[in-house]
Amino acid sequence: MASMRDIKRRKSSIQSTQQITKAMKLVSTVKLQKAKNRAEQTNPYFQYMYRTVTSMLAKSGTINHPYLKKGESDKKAVVVITSNRGLAGGYNSNIVKLVTGSEDITTENARVYAIGNKGREALERKGYEIAADGSSIMESPSYEDAAELCKQILKAYTDGEIGEIYLAYTHFKNTVSHEPKLIKLLPVEFDEDEMREAADEKVLMNYEPNEEEALDMIIPKYVTSLFYGALVEAVASENGARMQAMDSATSNAEDMISDLTLKFNRARQGSITQELTEIIAGASAIS
C-alpha cells in the first residue's frame, strides 16, 4: 500500500492539473460562444452558395471550362483543416482518420494543403506530401486568408499540377456535436436529385456576357466561400471539442482526488491504529 506521503504528493499533483483543466475549459467556453455565433451567422450563406452553384451548373449543359472538368494530373489537392494545439479530444485525429481512410486519397496521389499543425504533423508522419503549411491561418481566420489559399490552389488546378480538389474539415452541428467531413470541390459533382430536377425543368442556364467570363468569376468565389465557411466551422468545432475534453478531464480529476482522499484517510487511520497498538503493547510490557 502506498505511503501517506506518496498519496499526498499524487493528490497535490492531480489538484494542480485540475486547476489547469478548469482554466482551459473556461477559456474554451468563452471562445466557443464567439465562434458559435459566427458559425451560425455565416453557415446559411455558405450552404446556400453551395446549393446555388451546383444547381446552376447542373442546368448549364456541357460547358467546356477548366474548372468543370477533371484535370489531366492524377494528383489531388486536399485542404486539411485541424487545430494548432491538442487537448481537444478526438477532434484532430478524426480528421486525420477521415483522410487516411479514404480510398480516393492516398500517399501517392495526394498533395496536402495543411491548415493546422496537428493535421500537418500527423499526415507528414504517415508519408503524405505537404504542399503548403497555412497553420498561422487558424489563429484568426479571415476571408482574405481563404481567398489567398483559393488563388494558390486554383492556379495549380488550371496549370495542370492537380486534377481534383478536396476539403477535409469538421462541420459544427451544435456545442456537443461535430461531424468530420470530406467533400469534393472541383470538378463540381451533382447528386441525382439535382440532375433529375434540371432534366425536368428542361431549362438551360444562360450566361452574360459569356459562360467563360462568368465562371471565371463565380467558381473562385464559390471555392473561397466554402474554404472560409469550413474555417469558421472548424474553429467553433475545435473550441467545442476542447471544452468537452477539459470538462471530462476536470470530472476525472475530481474522481481521482476523492479516491485518493479515501486512501489517505484509510492509511492515516491504519497508522494511528498501529501507533496505539504499539503504545498499548509497550505499556503492557512495562507493567
Side-chain angles (χ1 to χ4, degrees):
M1 185 176 180
S3 66
M4 287 191 293
R5 180 180 297 176
D6 291 337
I7 295 173
K8 194 173 182 180
R9 185 184 299 117
R10 189 179 178 195
K11 180 180 175 181
S12 176
S13 175
I14 293 173
Q15 286 174 331
S16 298
T17 302
Q18 186 186 41
Q19 290 178 348
I20 295 172
T21 58
K22 276 185 178 179
M24 291 184 68
K25 177 190 172 184
L26 291 174
V27 171
S28 296
T29 302
V30 173
K31 288 183 176 181
L32 173 62
Q33 293 305 315
K34 182 178 179 181
K36 178 184 176 183
N37 292 335
R38 192 177 180 187
E40 290 176 345
Q41 289 172 2
T42 57
N43 182 262
Y45 168 76
F46 298 115
Q47 292 296 327
Y48 192 74
M49 167 71 84
Y50 178 77
R51 290 195 300 267
T52 300
V53 172
T54 53
S55 175
M56 178 189 71
L57 294 176
K59 299 172 185 176
S60 297
T62 56
I63 298 179
N64 185 22
H65 192 280
Y67 290 149
L68 303 183
K69 60 182 180 180
K70 186 179 182 300
E72 297 179 358
S73 174
D74 291 330
K75 288 286 186 179
K76 305 174 190 291
V78 188
V79 180
V80 180
I81 304 177
T82 56
S83 68
N84 287 331
R85 291 172 289 277
L87 298 177
Y91 171 76
N92 294 306
S93 60
N94 288 338
I95 288 293
V96 173
K97 288 177 184 177
L98 189 65
V99 174
T100 57
S102 172
E103 296 180 357
D104 296 326
I105 300 171
T106 65
T107 53
E108 288 76 22
N109 66 16
R111 292 182 64 181
V112 175
Y113 291 79
I115 302 177
N117 287 326
K118 292 301 178 180
R120 175 183 57 78
E121 292 168 358
L123 293 173
E124 198 170 28
R125 285 195 301 268
K126 293 180 181 295
Y128 286 82
E129 176 191 352
I130 307 299
D133 179 11
S135 300
S136 59
I137 294 176
M138 289 307 295
E139 297 303 323
S140 182
S142 66
Y143 188 84
E144 289 72 21
D145 292 328
E148 184 61 33
L149 177 65
C150 172
K151 182 179 178 181
Q152 179 182 352
I153 296 176
L154 286 180
K155 185 179 185 304
Y157 187 84
T158 53
D159 288 347
E161 297 176 16
I162 55 177
E164 297 176 5
I165 301 175
Y166 290 82
L167 173 63
Y169 72 104
T170 305
H171 169 56
F172 180 80
K173 288 186 174 181
N174 52 55
T175 302
V176 297
S177 180
H178 323 110
E179 179 189 3
K181 279 189 172 185
L182 178 64
I183 61 175
K184 186 176 182 180
L185 299 183
L186 289 182
V188 178
E189 292 184 341
F190 319 110
D191 59 34
E192 294 180 0
D193 293 336
E194 289 170 339
M195 295 299 293
R196 193 181 304 112
E197 180 184 345
D200 292 341
E201 292 181 3
K202 298 179 181 179
V203 177
L204 290 179
M205 187 68 62
N206 294 321
Y207 295 91
E208 291 291 344
N210 60 64
E211 58 192 31
E212 185 172 346
E213 287 187 35
L215 292 177
D216 282 341
M217 293 179 59
I218 293 171
I219 298 299
K221 287 185 179 295
Y222 157 76
V223 176
T224 301
S225 295
L226 293 183
F227 280 170
Y228 180 63
L231 285 170
V232 171
E233 292 199 37
V235 171
S237 299
E238 176 192 346
N239 286 293
R242 183 169 291 112
M243 184 189 73
Q244 291 181 69
M246 292 302 99
D247 182 58
S248 297
T250 301
S251 298
N252 291 338
E254 189 65 41
D255 293 340
M256 293 177 70
I257 290 170
S258 298
D259 183 58
L260 289 172
T261 300
L262 182 60
K263 288 182 178 180
F264 180 82
N265 291 337
R266 285 177 178 174
R268 184 174 62 179
Q269 184 178 11
S271 175
I272 293 172
T273 302
Q274 183 178 355
E275 288 180 4
L276 289 173
T277 302
E278 289 174 354
I279 291 171
I280 294 171
S284 298
I286 293 174
S287 60

